[in-house]
Amino acid sequence: MKKIGIWLDSKQAYIVQVSDNEDSLKTISSGIEFFNRTSTGGSRVKWGGTQDINHERKYLEKEKKQFKEYFKTIANAVKDVDELALFGPADINEKFKKELSENYKSIADKVTAVEKADSMTENETRALIRDFFRHR
């Protein structure tokens, strides 16, 4: 039985496959570019708003596509899983679960847990996922 736990955030995903006596870890980088607006980039004289709205819209569309690609890469890495647990900070693990439900139904059916977990090192992630499957 192939048991996999994934800890993911917007920068990277740690995919840990657990077997009886050992585990293996694979890291996937998201490649998502983060938008860091440092100035308003436009005059507020005419209507009181900034002129960055079009730039932000383009950025958000680009970010959405990058997240889709990131989630697709992760889904392809775990496509033959028997049991899957998702961990991560904020709500990215829930977004990934939603993406699985919408586009990767066979994988979504194997998800047994979606839990919050703060940022961790590789070793902490391995321990978390090993303990999770050991106590199920």
Side-chain angles (χ1 to χ4, degrees), residues 37 40 47 49-59:
R37 195 170 111 195
T40 58
W47 56 282
T50 67
Q51 302 296 312
D52 284 337
I53 294 170
N54 288 335
H55 297 293
E56 289 180 32
R57 189 171 297 135
K58 287 177 187 175
Y59 163 74

Side-chain angles (χ1 to χ4, degrees), residues 20-37:
D20 293 334
N21 298 327
E22 59 186 18
D23 59 65
S24 62
L25 178 119
K26 178 179 180 181
T27 303
I28 295 177
S29 179
S30 71
I32 295 171
E33 298 172 33
F34 295 97
F35 182 61
N36 188 8
R37 195 170 111 195

Side-chain angles (χ1 to χ4, degrees), residues 20-107:
D20 293 334
N21 298 327
E22 59 186 18
D23 59 65
S24 62
L25 178 119
K26 178 179 180 181
T27 303
I28 295 177
S29 179
S30 71
I32 295 171
E33 298 172 33
F34 295 97
F35 182 61
N36 188 8
R37 195 170 111 195
T38 56
S39 67
T40 58
S43 170
R44 296 173 183 235
V45 175
K46 291 184 179 173
W47 56 282
T50 67
Q51 302 296 312
D52 284 337
I53 294 170
N54 288 335
H55 297 293
E56 289 180 32
R57 189 171 297 135
K58 287 177 187 175
Y59 163 74
L60 291 173
E61 284 301 314
K62 185 177 181 180
E63 181 186 56
K64 196 176 188 180
K65 288 179 185 175
Q66 289 173 338
F67 265 107
K68 281 246 187 234
E69 241 348 272
Y70 177 44
F71 290 160
K72 180 181 178 182
T73 304
I74 296 169
N76 286 334
V78 300
K79 61 186 170 198
D80 56 345
V81 67
D82 294 317
E83 189 174 351
L84 182 64
L86 305 175
F87 302 91
D91 63 345
I92 192 161
N93 52 358
E94 292 160 9
K95 287 180 182 178
F96 182 59
K97 169 81 165 91
K98 182 179 177 187
E99 178 72 14
L100 290 176
S101 297
E102 292 173 357
N103 298 312
Y104 306 93
K105 188 73 173 136
S106 62
I107 300 172

Side-chain angles (χ1 to χ4, degrees), residues 7 87 117 120 123-133:
W7 180 93
F87 302 91
M120 299 183 188
N123 288 335
E124 290 171 334
T125 302
R126 286 178 124 134
L128 170 77
I129 293 169
R130 258 193 330 261
D131 289 345
F132 174 82
F133 284 115

